[in-house]
Amino acid sequence: GIQVEQSPPDLILQEGANSTLRCNFSDSVNNLQWFHQNPWGQLINLFYIPSGTKQNGRLSATTVATERYSLLYISSSQTTDSGVYFCAVDRAGNNRKLIWGLGTSLAVNP
Amino acid sequence: EPEVTQTPSHQVTQMGQEVILRCVPISNHLYFYWYRQILGQKVEFLVSFYNNEISEKSEIFDDQFSVERPDGSNFTLKIRSTKLEDSAMYFCASGWSLGYGYTFGSGTRLTVV
């Protein structure tokens, strides 16, 4: 099955810093999504991005499907950005369940 | 932007009790999913549901689990006799078409004591 690897596993930033999170996947995918899990465990939808680039405020994401990776950029980080960032991909098939990476744990210090 | 709503946000139950986790998917969506995340672990697929029936289930989704769409708007996950190891975050998701992205609810934290 598809493997999803995220890097780095942990990241500590000072408020205001920028960061790039990476997601590699081992096979062609039809769907790729990024999520933020806040410290209370709630999941927040960030991007649906099987290819190309999208931006939403201080966050942007780029997926290069032909090279099997996606990047999530966080600019001018804030303490509220802390949590775990997950990448998940959609396997080919009828039911399209998402296969998840282990996440990048981000701590933004004031 | 439309949201998937899950209730309750946190439920504590005694081992052996039945629990029902509730989800209101986005209204025009046709595909429904439950995932779970044991503390500190990966998010895992439990079950997918389409056209009023289960389309796929994982090994985790044994006879203790069931799903239902009772009234065309709610989507529920029932655990018949909870075990300690069922303690986890449970996430509901929905999508209007395969492969076009799924919207996740914020989750229900289930604690079995």
Side-chain angles (χ1 to χ4, degrees):
Chain A
I2 292 177
Q3 303 299 313
V4 181
E5 293 182 356
Q6 292 187 243
S7 59
D10 301 283
L11 188 57
I12 300 174
L13 299 174
Q14 284 301 118
E15 204 167 22
N18 303 328
S19 63
T20 301
L21 281 55
R22 187 176 180 104
C23 172
N24 292 333
F25 42 96
S26 61
D27 204 347
S28 300
V29 298
N30 297 99
N31 173 22
L32 187 146
Q33 293 184 243
W34 283 96
F35 301 89
H36 174 211
Q37 186 170 39
N38 66 22
W40 296 270
Q42 297 172 319
L43 209 57
I44 300 158
N45 303 278
L46 294 180
F47 294 104
Y48 160 67
I49 186 162
S51 63
T53 298
K54 289 187 178 178
Q55 180 157 7
N56 184 1
R58 295 181 297 102
L59 301 183
S60 64
T62 295
T63 297
V64 183
T66 52
E67 297 187 23
R68 299 182 185 166
Y69 72 88
S70 182
L71 303 174
L72 178 70
Y73 305 98
I74 305 174
S75 64
S76 304
S77 57
Q78 300 175 358
T79 55
T80 51
D81 294 331
S82 296
V84 183
Y85 289 81
F86 290 104
C87 165
V89 301
D90 180 335
R91 70 173 179 90
N94 290 332
N95 297 310
R96 303 288 181 91
K97 66 186 182 189
L98 287 176
I99 308 300
W100 295 68
L102 287 173
T104 291
S105 179
L106 174 64
V108 181
N109 295 325
Chain B
E1 189 164 330
E3 292 183 345
V4 173
T5 305
Q6 289 188 243
T7 54
S9 56
H10 189 190
Q11 179 151 2
V12 181
T13 189
Q14 294 222 323
M15 193 168 54
Q17 295 296 303
E18 175 183 286
V19 295
I20 298 176
L21 309 183
R22 301 180 192 280
C23 171
V24 179
I26 293 172
S27 61
N28 64 342
H29 283 186
L30 302 176
Y31 297 86
F32 311 106
Y33 302 82
W34 283 100
Y35 290 77
R36 82 169 185 191
Q37 182 191 34
I38 294 172
L39 184 64
Q41 297 186 21
K42 211 183 249 200
V43 179
E44 304 171 286
F45 167 77
L46 286 179
V47 65
S48 57
F49 191 87
Y50 169 71
N51 201 23
N52 285 321
E53 62 182 21
I54 291 173
S55 41
E56 185 176 352
K57 58 185 180 181
S58 73
E59 293 173 354
I60 304 166
F61 194 88
D62 61 22
D63 293 343
Q64 292 299 312
F65 291 89
S66 62
V67 289
E68 198 177 32
R69 191 157 158 79
D71 56 12
S73 62
N74 293 287
F75 181 50
T76 61
L77 174 69
K78 182 193 292 186
I79 309 175
R80 289 189 183 81
S81 178
T82 49
K83 305 178 197 133
L84 295 176
E85 53 264 37
D86 294 327
S87 295
M89 286 289 290
Y90 288 82
F91 297 106
C92 171
S94 69
W96 72 271
S97 180
L98 292 176
Y100 282 89
Y102 309 103
T103 303
F104 277 71
S106 55
T108 293
R109 182 181 299 280
L110 176 66
T111 302
V112 182
V113 297

